[in-house]
Amino acid sequence: MSDIKKVVLAYSGGLDTSIILRWLQETYQCEVVTFTADLGQGEELEPARAKAQQMGIKEIYIEDLREEFVRDYVFPMFRANTVYEGEYLLGTSIARPLIAKRLVEIANETGADAISHGATGKGNDQVRFELGAYALKPGIQVIAPWREWDLLSREKLMTYAKNNDIPVDFAKQGTKSPYSMDANLLHISYEGGILENPWTEAEEEMWRWSVSPEQAPEQPTYIELTYEKGDIVAIDGERLKPHEVLSKLNKLGGENGIGRLDLVENRYVGMKSRGCYETPGGTIMLKAHRAIESITLDREVAHLKDELMPKYAEIIYNGYWWSPERQMMQQMIDESQKVVNGVVRLKLYKGNVIVAGRQSPDSLFDESIATFEDDAGAYDQKDAAGFIKLNALRLRIAANKGRGQL
Amino acid sequence: MSDIKKVVLAYSGGLDTSIILRWLQETYQCEVVTFTADLGQGEELEPARAKAQQMGIKEIYIEDLREEFVRDYVFPMFRANTVYEGEYLLGTSIARPLIAKRLVEIANETGADAISHGATGKGNDQVRFELGAYALKPGIQVIAPWREWDLLSREKLMTYAKNNDIPVDFAKQGTKSPYSMDANLLHISYEGGILENPWTEAEEEMWRWSVSPEQAPEQPTYIELTYEKGDIVAIDGERLKPHEVLSKLNKLGGENGIGRLDLVENRYVGMKSRGCYETPGGTIMLKAHRAIESITLDREVAHLKDELMPKYAEIIYNGYWWSPERQMMQQMIDESQKVVNGVVRLKLYKGNVIVAGRQSPDSLFDESIATFEDDAGAYDQKDAAGFIKLNALRLRIAANKGRGQL
Amino acid sequence: MSDIKKVVLAYSGGLDTSIILRWLQETYQCEVVTFTADLGQGEELEPARAKAQQMGIKEIYIEDLREEFVRDYVFPMFRANTVYEGEYLLGTSIARPLIAKRLVEIANETGADAISHGATGKGNDQVRFELGAYALKPGIQVIAPWREWDLLSREKLMTYAKNNDIPVDFAKQGTKSPYSMDANLLHISYEGGILENPWTEAEEEMWRWSVSPEQAPEQPTYIELTYEKGDIVAIDGERLKPHEVLSKLNKLGGENGIGRLDLVENRYVGMKSRGCYETPGGTIMLKAHRAIESITLDREVAHLKDELMPKYAEIIYNGYWWSPERQMMQQMIDESQKVVNGVVRLKLYKGNVIVAGRQSPDSLFDESIATFEDDAGAYDQKDAAGFIKLNALRLRIAANKGRGQL
Amino acid sequence: MSDIKKVVLAYSGGLDTSIILRWLQETYQCEVVTFTADLGQGEELEPARAKAQQMGIKEIYIEDLREEFVRDYVFPMFRANTVYEGEYLLGTSIARPLIAKRLVEIANETGADAISHGATGKGNDQVRFELGAYALKPGIQVIAPWREWDLLSREKLMTYAKNNDIPVDFAKQGTKSPYSMDANLLHISYEGGILENPWTEAEEEMWRWSVSPEQAPEQPTYIELTYEKGDIVAIDGERLKPHEVLSKLNKLGGENGIGRLDLVENRYVGMKSRGCYETPGGTIMLKAHRAIESITLDREVAHLKDELMPKYAEIIYNGYWWSPERQMMQQMIDESQKVVNGVVRLKLYKGNVIVAGRQSPDSLFDESIATFEDDAGAYDQKDAAGFIKLNALRLRIAANKGRGQL
């Protein structure tokens, strides 16, 4: 056992992190500082305070980080149309760097020499927490109880709770979700249980934020999203803060059956894993952002962004938000967004996000050139002959030299 | 006027290419060979034969290319999850290389020294036809009437038709679509008309293959797609040829309101253009292919494919199907698909394509490792500590040297 | 002939651009403004003034752009370790954007409606000049005489000169280089003549700036280059302006037989072309920049730069300096260079540039960790076991499922 | 201690691996199989046999793998012009996969359940050995003594040797190189000692295979290399096997002072490390391969290879030779090399490798088009106008909309 004096714990107030809290006290004989954040997961935080006090904690941090979360993490990520493996909107991945940052900052404030979290040794979250912490405070110690203790079954955990006076809400336990879940303003994720078989369809009752497309209203909902520098700043003309934007889009999306996703992904630690995700607002934002970019971005800028996006997504998924390579790419992405201003009109209907219109003071769409009608000389069609001839030149030379393509 | 003796014309039998036919005869005083292909556009071809005969054509090629089209062009492209600019499924782009190839082959067979097509000087299709033709037969001459003549308004065209005894189906003209359209087994595209304003929503009556999500059935349709080497070979257990697969998926998708797309894209010739696309079967195939790859592909192979996809899509969109770089990439893509075998179960419902299950004899999903339950030692969670420590090392050294990330 | 009133000509004072000057006057009946720049090509500019005056030019621009050239074009490019097709240091490509910019600025100042240049229709330079001009002033007209006139042989040019009272320095003509050359502070290029056969070795007498390695001194020269933010600011401790740095390195390199290059490159217009290049200072800078980056850049930042470099080089080679995609990439590159500070010690000897040492206040090289000796616990070798195990996991799962690698 | 019965040891016959041999016998009480390979490191192997016998080994594998090494590892890698971090030719990296493969094959033959190697816990080689072994035989156990034992100083090692009757050649010890070295047909590497300070220049006496440029002959050496499908098959017309090619080029290069390299690289385990490398033949091959590709490869194929090369190099450097992503890339690379045939003429002189000529039956260099002289209509310069106009279109539209580039 290394000589830890004080540890900052990412504490949800739930049973698992309460057990961790006690286990840290017992095992390391150290003081514990709890940190509980509101990232929009939709749970009250005050019970966490009471529970921490009850377990003898003196330094308790409870914070509403929703605005910072969306403004400094979610929005920058969406500027890149970021999708991991073609589908996943990175809802869990993007929350971890903020938590890592706050853990380190609180360690600095309270003079703690370690941090601790409740992520298991099989998942990506341990990596994301710890890479962030090490990058921000290289001398920090990290305690990951799931990699250290032997409480590896639910039975052992319950016994430990009982033996250590940890309050268990047995009523709640009985109705406990069979899934391993994570939630924040961007999404809820579900793993485990019957999902461990990729051939099994998710049950309707699993989903929490959205109705099914079947149960969504028969009438579509139209909305208008206003963009400034790649971020949504207003919905239907009403100016909103970043987290208010996402909250409202979650509500609109959820009501219209939008944003459910069921996939098998490749974890950074080397295994495939099945996950279901509910990302109503994010699903709307991705579609809308591409629409506003489609009229405002230069072609080559857009293509360069598309080519780099998979790497950017991988960097975030793998936990390297706090890295020089992510910051370097962000610089480039943000640079591209200066002109991404305008309005996107969307139709939401039973799971569908349909672009119904886009306009922008920075539009590069030039009707006078694109028209099928007479363009009054704006574009000289004869130019195309030379364009094609020179682009074909290398192919013709090759064919002449006997390099058939057939 | 260069000295053309015989020209092979990509002939649809419609008014525009009939005018071109006559214009070629008049202008170049040359023989014309017509080539009309069934690529699944859903029009009868025999009227084209009659019309060509009526205009004095002796060499008339009418061919059903549907199987070749899907097998050798559409399917290879879908192996790469190909999407241009994040959304467009390349329905028009992928048909052009086959037409270019047949034009050249027919020129070889008939001793023609030129080919001709009806694509305008503003679009991508002229590029795709001509790059293909030059790559396959570098000495071929290309006549692109829209870049040469002065019949640049509909009025002038109609006058020319009248003056040159070209049969105009005035009944049909009256009901003519206000859109510039292109169709084949993969999609229908719509451009022009009111679509030239990107803020205007497409009219419901424009769409031809699909019902709207609103009008789709209240009951979902479940289907199972069987993959071999990345291609669908059976639907619900029934073995089908490639074009039969796509036909059936078009029907299933169209009935369920799937595959409509409305976007602004960047043309190779340098302008932005608004297009609407209807790709029912392709939309299903893209989703399903990602699902079967998600359990069968190695992570790094999948990520490499994702990083290269935008370039591959650009190559096809820009008309470089018949190029060494496309063939080189195809080699790599096809190599990756050897293990992409198995079954995907989908739920189709009112515009949604939802993955309900995937299984494969080549699955890399390992339940015994991924499980949240006891894994009997299959994975040693302690390994993660070293994994994270070494991945963090460069970040820690940098932070120690004062390179803060904040 | 379009109605041109005044044209700004990139004028060297040589025979060819003098003929162009007169041809513009004759053909377009327009006023000509001459623009002659010192980019370090090593020729006096005043004779160009005299000659222009003699031909009746009233607005004559003669400018020393050496500092701007190196500071704003050469140095930014070298921050990316830019090399086209693995070898070419882009000496010609990087000068064109500056000339294009000044042509446009002078057109604005003088109210000219066109620009003109002496680049042929086969090369890259026409593209670079014109893309730049169009990007900076989209309504500008461009006159490229080599694409318009019929003076396509040297004989016709000489006759035209004679018939139009253009002074020909016949003495100079007799000794004229058989090569098509271009020179600026970064390099001299040679094309044409016997170089048109790629099997023929360049003649020793062709090279102008450097001695051959054989003729270089028997004693090596050691120098120290000081970097700030990726740029060289001092040589052997002496602080110099950007163009002074490059001048001095050219001298040092040239004396030591450094920087000759003989290659076949792929032009943007579609053909292969043989070129010889003499880039003494640039060759030194490339080697030194990599050396200073090797101790100051983070690994992933360095690798990302390496992956993007070929595209960045292509952008510059093809003439897209004045494009949003280049500016976007530059942003990222420059961001990475904040920490590229320090000193590189080099040994120059008979064509070789050898790194003899590098040091930096921003070095990430950590001797205490890298050492083969006892590191006092700075690095725990046991961490490597977990690192390898998890990195191997996907490979092991695949092998277990029968996916042999052999 | 896991229950190991038999282990295959990568055994050099030197002191360190002899100590490992004994340590394995003592610690695991298991049988040891020794495997000693000739990869061209230039040491006799029979002493290793004698020493192994002396230490009681019954199963001794001694193999000449030079041909396989160059044919199946070195040559395929050079087809991609592979360079790590702009400079390193991967001499050590490329040998590890072959050793890993043989260790696994011998384990299969001898029924061994483990393999062992002498690489330390700080370096890349442990990763390369072990990733290879796990990929090829996922259930194999790996014993890495340097990560397990406490013999972490030279003193402790010597004591262990003395106490365990391991023959130490004290004469040799006294003259032992102060560097950690690795050698095979492709290179020798040097690390440690005074090299641990990146500001210190390497000593002349360190280098073993090459003379310094200063000591190289005053007369250049010309050679001609014949390529087939991207590999060298003959030198000066003499047909040679792959390892004979590399041997001969090492001799030629070494005599002419070619192939020394001094750099700081980024290890996969997260630290920077200083290394000096001597790669005479490889340095020649890289230059020559680019030269033959320059006339035979299509432009876009060449550029695609250049864009992917850094990733391919990283894959090999990091130890993922035996991975599906490397095999997938190799497929593409090899496909591109079908046309890489011809002859390259080189001048070797005092550290310089100078291309003096290249020719090929598959050359795409077309003198009739590239010429500065009259091309008899092979290329229509007017085509360039349209080419430039359309390529500029997006830039002009943007500028017209107020997106200045200045």
Side-chain angles (χ1 to χ4, degrees), chain B residues 11-252:
Chain B
Y11 182 59
S12 72
L15 178 63
D16 287 12
T17 51
S18 295
I19 292 175
I20 288 175
L21 198 168
R22 178 57 39 91
W23 181 87
L24 289 169
Q25 291 171 323
E26 298 292 318
T27 311
Y28 286 88
Q29 295 291 326
C30 66
E31 215 177 313
V32 177
V33 180
T34 59
F35 163 58
T36 309
D38 184 357
L39 291 165
Q41 64 269 47
E43 282 175 10
E44 281 186 55
L45 304 188
E46 284 311 312
R49 183 190 306 276
K51 224 161 166 186
Q53 282 170 335
Q54 191 180 340
M55 294 175 82
I57 303 305
K58 287 175 205 139
E59 292 172 294
I60 296 173
Y61 284 76
I62 292 189
E63 302 177 352
D64 179 352
L65 299 178
R66 290 175 302 159
E67 179 168 0
E68 183 180 358
F69 173 49
V70 180
R71 184 189 63 223
D72 296 345
Y73 299 79
V74 175
F75 272 13
M77 181 174 78
F78 272 80
R79 287 175 208 145
N81 304 316
T82 315
V83 181
Y84 181 68
E85 298 188 341
E87 313 219 51
Y88 174 38
L89 292 171
L90 295 168
T92 300
S93 325
I94 194 60
R96 300 322 191 188
L98 171 53
I99 296 172
K101 189 191 75 149
R102 285 304 295 145
L103 286 171
V104 162
E105 287 171 343
I106 293 170
N108 286 341
E109 283 166 36
T110 60
D113 40 10
I115 61 164
S116 183
H117 60 75
T120 81
K122 279 188 175 177
N124 296 303
D125 287 332
Q126 56 173 345
V127 190
R128 295 165 186 153
F129 283 132
E130 298 178 28
L131 288 180
Y134 287 136
L136 297 171
K137 189 176 170 72
I140 194 79
Q141 304 237 35
V142 176
I143 305 173
W146 286 97
R147 299 199 306 255
E148 295 189 18
W149 68 25
D150 55 358
L151 306 176
L152 293 171
S153 70
R154 191 116 298 259
E155 208 182 340
K156 286 185 188 166
L157 279 176
M158 295 306 284
T159 309
Y160 186 91
K162 201 169 130 196
N163 295 345
N164 287 275
D165 293 324
I166 297 164
V168 178
D169 182 345
F170 284 101
K172 202 177 170 191
Q173 281 303 110
T175 61
K176 198 174 177 299
S177 161
Y179 304 103
S180 169
M181 292 169 54
D182 176 65
N184 60 48
L185 254 183
L186 185 51
H187 88 347
I188 312 186
S189 66
Y190 309 87
E191 294 183 308
I194 62 163
L195 299 179
E196 291 191 359
N197 179 352
W199 184 248
T200 306
E201 193 173 1
E203 306 161 303
E204 181 54 33
E205 49 267 47
M206 177 187 77
W207 308 97
R208 304 214 164 180
W209 281 4
S210 62
V211 301
S212 69
E214 286 89 335
Q215 291 163 325
E218 296 299 321
Q219 295 305 318
T221 305
Y222 278 85
I223 57 172
E224 289 187 15
L225 304 179
T226 304
Y227 276 90
E228 284 178 16
K229 294 188 184 172
D231 297 336
I232 301 171
V233 296
I235 300 179
D236 289 334
E238 185 192 3
R239 203 138 185 117
L240 297 170
K241 290 182 179 173
H243 63 298
E244 295 167 345
V245 164
L246 188 45
S247 269
K248 181 143 189 189
L249 292 179
N250 277 338
K251 188 166 175 300
L252 288 164

Side-chain angles (χ1 to χ4, degrees), chain C residues 77-225:
Chain C
M77 181 173 78
F78 272 80
R79 287 175 208 146
N81 303 315
T82 316
V83 181
Y84 181 68
E85 298 189 340
E87 313 219 51
Y88 174 37
L89 293 171
L90 296 168
T92 300
S93 325
I94 194 59
R96 300 323 192 186
L98 172 52
I99 296 172
K101 189 192 75 152
R102 284 303 296 143
L103 286 171
V104 162
E105 288 172 342
I106 293 169
N108 287 341
E109 283 166 36
T110 60
D113 41 11
I115 62 164
S116 183
H117 62 75
T120 81
K122 279 188 176 178
N124 296 305
D125 287 330
Q126 57 174 343
V127 190
R128 295 164 187 154
F129 283 132
E130 298 178 28
L131 289 180
Y134 287 136
L136 297 171
K137 190 176 169 70
I140 195 79
Q141 305 237 35
V142 177
I143 306 174
W146 285 97
R147 298 200 305 254
E148 296 188 19
W149 68 25
D150 57 357
L151 306 176
L152 293 171
S153 71
R154 191 116 297 259
E155 210 183 339
K156 286 185 187 167
L157 280 176
M158 295 306 284
T159 308
Y160 185 92
K162 202 170 128 195
N163 295 345
N164 287 275
D165 293 324
I166 297 163
V168 178
D169 182 343
F170 285 100
K172 203 177 168 191
Q173 282 302 110
T175 62
K176 198 176 177 297
S177 160
Y179 304 103
S180 169
M181 291 168 55
D182 176 66
N184 60 48
L185 254 184
L186 185 51
H187 88 346
I188 312 187
S189 66
Y190 309 87
E191 295 182 306
I194 61 164
L195 299 179
E196 291 192 359
N197 178 352
W199 184 246
T200 306
E201 192 174 0
E203 306 161 304
E204 180 53 34
E205 49 266 47
M206 177 188 77
W207 306 97
R208 303 214 164 180
W209 280 4
S210 63
V211 300
S212 69
E214 286 89 333
Q215 291 165 326
E218 298 299 321
Q219 295 305 318
T221 304
Y222 279 84
I223 57 172
E224 289 188 13
L225 305 179

